[in-house]
Each structure stands twice: as structure tokens, then as C-alpha cells.
Amino acid sequence: MKQPNFNQVIDRHNTSSVKWDFINQKLQLDGSDLLPMWVSDFDFKCPDEVIQALHDRVEHGVFGYSERDDDYYQSVMDWFVSRHQLEIDRDWFTTIEGVVPGLALLVQMLSEPGESVVVQGPYYGSFANVITMNHRVLLENPLLEGIDGYQIDFYHLENLFKTASPKVLILCNPHNPTGRCWRREELIQLLGLCKQYNVIVISDEIWADLTLPGEKYTLVLHLGSEWHDHVIAATSASKTFGLSSLRISNFLIPNSIIRKKFISRLHAHGLDVFNSLSMAAATAAYKYSGHWLDALQIYLAENRRWLKQKLEVVAPWCRMVKAEGTYLAWLDCRALKLNNHELKNILLDKAKIAVSMGDSFGVMGRGYIRLNLGCPREYLEIAVNGLSHLNEFRDESIAKA
């Protein structure tokens, strides 16, 4: 079986890539000499089996209205059994073009304008958008950072439930940007509080397949039927196989009342037809690309290990936060003692890399940056070399102290 070459550098310019072609527009920059390390899509070619499935579907040449067939459903269900030891009921499926649109519709459906939705900071910026732009109140349950990574502040969370009576909590598992995979006992404690205070948990689990080798991952649906009335799991092949623009995601909803309401809302918005190429890609990925993912996980783990080791030598002020999953590195840059505007400017001017700035993940992200490890090692070497140029700013901060 042919092994994927993740070291291959593929020119993504002129492919309408947000990450590469629209960097100046999206980040409001003016320059072409920056290495993009920001958007959370990776720079690897997707599995050959997926490419072949797309070729076959395109060769057919007819692209009329499409619906999910038995092969699509079975590929997803078989994947969760083989990769996560989880049996999924076909009746739980609801499907939409993308996780974020589904989150937005669920926030609209499960809460009223002016009501609260809880997120755990540092949080993915699109979570904030689907809450505030739908006229709901964002309630932040800040995570606690320790030497073993981030932890949930359950005391603070219960106080939020008591005082603000939120209707929804959006969970990210594995967590973006920190890379934490929530343990079974943590999830049970979380769901216990949510059940007690009648809060629905929408768990964004699009990073579920991208855990580091040896790490144990628990999905909310692993916890059993006693929690099913209060959980919704958002899943997709997009992060796993690099299919972000072939948008299709499954929201698994065991609660039949919530599920029927959500399906009605999808129909009300005309979201009852599915992209034939997206379905072909996802089906092929789930059926035939497990070996590709195995190789990817090893490569990403080695990228993470290599980056941590290099930073400790050439940029010791830049501390990588412990993670169990994702291909994101959450880096603590507070030792530079710069505000976020200053930090962004020197990353652009001196390091020549474009990263996701920590303050875009809420107040808990100030002083941090998020770096994308889903790239050939050559890009990481460039990034490390750039970060080493910031040592002078640490020396200046020490001198001032």
C-alpha cells in the first residue's frame, strides 16, 4: 500500500485558498512574504482513495439533486465502530453543510434572543459569532490552566448555571485551541451539571479522529443513554481528511423531539439537498482511508514533538501547552511581556509568520498564539527560525524588569 508523503510541499497559491490566497484580505495585511500558519486546515494532499472517488463522480457528469444513500450512512457508522468503539443509531443522523451553520441553527432553536449560551475560554471564535450575532449572550466559563494542561472550572460553571440560567453549552472536544481531550469522568461531571440545570450540550467533535498516539478519547455519546436527552454531537470528516471546502457534517441527536425540530428547521431553510461531491469524498474517506489517518497521526505527533524540542532550545520564551489532540499548537508567549498588538506586529515583521492570535479566542487567549502543525516539516523549520528572531524582545523585557 502506497504511503502518503506528508513532507511533500504543495503550492496552494491560485487555488482560492483562504489560508494562502486570501491571507492579506482576511487578516487585513499588506505583504506577500509571510508563511501562513493560521487557518486550521492542513497543507497535505487528501487520501488517494478520496481523490479517486471524486474523479469517478465527476466523470459521471450528472449533478442533479442528491440525497444520502445507504453507503454514506454505513460508512459513518462503521467508522465510529472501528475507530471509536461506538455504535451509532442511524435514526440519530441529521446532516448539514458544515458544523458552524448547524451550531447557529441549534442556538436559534434551543434558546431565545437575550438568553445565554456557555462556552469555555479560550474558545473558537466562530462559537462567539453564532452566539452574539444571533442576539444571544455569550457566557464564558474560563478553563483553568495547570502543568497538565487545561481543566474545567466546575465551581464557576455551576454558578453560571444558577445565576444566568443558560439554555445551551457549546463544548469543544478535543478542544480548540488548547488540544485538551476531556476525560470520561470530566464529561460525566459536566453532563451531570447540565442535566441538573436543564442545559443542552452541543459537543463539537470534529477533531475526534486527530488524537495523539496513545491518548484515550471519549465522545459524549460514549457515556450512555442516561445522558442522551441532553447531548448533541457534531461530527465531520473535514478536519480528519482535509475536506474543509467539501462541506458536509452530521449532527447526531439521540433525543427524538430535538432531532425532529432540527430537521424541520433544516427544511425551513431549504437545507434538505446534499452536495454529491461532498458525500462521495466523505464516504470514500470513511471506508478506505484509515491507513492514511494512521500515518497522519504519527506525522503530526512527530511534528509536535519536534517543535516543542526546537522551541526549548532556540525560543525558550515560547512555551507549548500540553495537548492530547488536534494539529494545533497553543503557544504561551507571555514571557515577552508584549501586548497583543505588539506581539502580532513582531510576528509579522520579524518572524514573518501569520498565526492565529490568542486574543481572537477571547480574554483567556491574551499573550498566546495558535500555530498550525498540519504542514510539511519544512514549514515548521521556517516558523521556528522566525520565532528565534524574537529572542531580543525577551532580553529587552528581562532588562527592563
Side-chain angles (χ1 to χ4, degrees):
M1 186 174 293
K2 180 182 176 183
Q3 287 296 308
N5 180 13
F6 297 117
N7 279 320
Q8 180 185 8
V9 173
I10 301 171
D11 186 0
R12 295 184 61 190
H13 290 102
N14 302 314
T15 62
S16 302
S17 166
V18 169
K19 183 177 181 179
W20 289 86
D21 292 328
F22 288 84
I23 181 173
N24 288 341
Q25 179 179 327
K26 295 293 185 179
L27 298 184
Q28 299 179 341
L29 304 175
D30 183 19
S32 58
D33 59 345
L34 300 172
L35 177 65
M37 305 288 285
W38 58 300
V39 175
S40 60
D41 67 2
F42 48 56
D43 295 305
F44 310 128
K45 185 178 289 187
C46 72
D48 289 341
E49 295 85 355
V50 173
I51 296 172
Q52 186 60 54
L54 289 170
H55 276 302
D56 293 344
R57 187 63 187 85
V58 169
E59 283 296 318
H60 182 267
V62 180
F63 303 98
Y65 294 118
S66 299
E67 176 56 276
R68 300 154 296 175
D69 59 13
D70 290 342
D71 203 24
Y72 174 81
Y73 283 107
Q74 196 62 50
S75 69
V76 179
M77 293 189 291
D78 288 347
W79 179 264
F80 274 85
V81 169
S82 65
R83 303 297 294 205
H84 300 291
Q85 297 74 55
L86 176 67
E87 293 191 6
I88 297 172
D89 191 321
R90 178 165 166 164
D91 289 341
W92 297 351
F93 277 70
T94 63
T95 306
I96 186 172
E97 292 187 1
V99 167
V100 173
L103 291 176
L105 290 178
L106 283 167
V107 165
Q108 294 171 9
M109 188 183 89
L110 296 171
S111 64
E112 297 294 332
E115 292 184 329
S116 300
V117 177
V118 177
V119 294
Q120 294 169 316
Y123 50 78
Y124 177 41
S126 290
F127 291 173
N129 290 340
V130 302
I131 295 168
T132 59
M133 296 180 76
N134 280 298
H135 309 292
R136 274 66 175 173
V137 177
L138 185 151
L139 279 183
E140 185 172 0
N141 171 222
L143 298 175
L144 302 172
E145 187 184 356
I147 58 174
D148 291 326
Y150 284 82
Q151 310 293 328
I152 298 172
D153 187 341
F154 289 105
Y155 178 80
H156 180 271
L157 181 62
E158 184 166 13
N159 278 338
L160 286 182
F161 287 173
K162 287 178 179 178
T163 58
S165 301
K167 296 295 189 294
V168 177
L169 181 147
I170 300 178
L171 179 72
C172 196
N173 184 33
H175 186 264
N176 173 11
T178 70
R180 257 309 307 274
C181 294
W182 305 116
R183 296 188 301 273
R184 183 181 186 88
E185 57 269 26
E186 292 174 302
L187 292 174
I188 289 175
Q189 188 173 353
L190 177 72
L191 293 184
L193 286 175
C194 290
K195 187 174 183 179
Q196 179 181 348
Y197 291 95
N198 197 30
V199 177
I200 300 296
V201 176
I202 309 172
S203 185
D204 177 356
E205 300 186 345
I206 61 170
W207 297 97
D209 297 314
L210 292 164
T211 51
L212 292 168
E215 295 292 345
K216 186 173 178 59
Y217 176 70
T218 303
L219 298 91
V220 290
L221 293 175
H222 272 135
L223 303 178
S225 58
E226 64 181 292
W227 310 107
H228 281 178
D229 282 347
H230 287 81
V231 296
I232 298 168
T235 70
S236 175
S238 60
K239 298 298 183 190
T240 308
F241 300 104
L243 308 176
S244 296
S245 62
L246 292 169
R247 292 163 66 90
I248 189 165
S249 62
N250 298 303
F251 281 71
L252 305 174
I253 309 178
N255 184 312
S256 61
I257 295 174
I258 294 176
R259 184 173 65 249
K260 289 174 183 176
K261 286 178 63 177
F262 187 55
I263 292 172
S264 294
R265 185 165 288 263
L266 294 177
H267 289 174
H269 286 79
L271 299 172
D272 55 350
V273 176
F274 306 98
N275 186 308
S276 59
L277 296 181
S278 300
M279 288 189 292
T283 301
Y286 282 134
K287 287 181 69 173
Y288 306 120
S289 301
H291 66 284
W292 182 93
L293 176 59
D294 293 338
L296 176 67
Q297 288 178 297
I298 293 171
Y299 189 86
L300 293 175
E302 181 59 19
N303 266 0
R304 188 178 295 273
R305 184 206 63 77
W306 182 90
L307 179 62
K308 183 176 186 296
Q309 183 181 60
K310 289 295 182 182
L311 289 177
E312 289 172 350
V313 175
V314 305
W317 51 267
C318 188
R319 182 182 64 85
M320 184 187 293
V321 174
K322 184 179 183 296
E324 293 88 33
T326 79
Y327 52 76
L328 308 171
W330 187 235
L331 303 177
D332 183 353
C333 303
R334 291 175 295 178
L336 292 179
K337 301 188 184 305
L338 299 172
N339 63 40
N340 284 277
H341 179 72
E342 294 168 335
L343 179 58
K344 179 179 180 180
N345 283 341
I346 65 168
L347 286 166
L348 296 173
D349 297 339
K350 300 293 185 180
K352 298 297 182 182
I353 57 175
V355 302
S356 296
M357 297 302 298
D359 59 344
S360 68
F361 299 89
V363 296
M364 295 296 294
R366 290 174 181 170
Y368 291 77
I369 61 174
R370 192 191 74 178
L371 199 74
N372 187 340
L373 302 178
C375 60
R377 179 67 55 79
E378 181 176 323
Y379 290 167
L380 287 186
E381 291 171 352
I382 296 171
V384 166
N385 181 62
L387 290 171
S388 71
H389 293 157
L390 274 57
N391 287 330
E392 61 183 280
F393 295 93
R394 178 175 183 267
D395 295 338
E396 288 176 5
S397 68
I398 292 173
K400 290 178 182 178

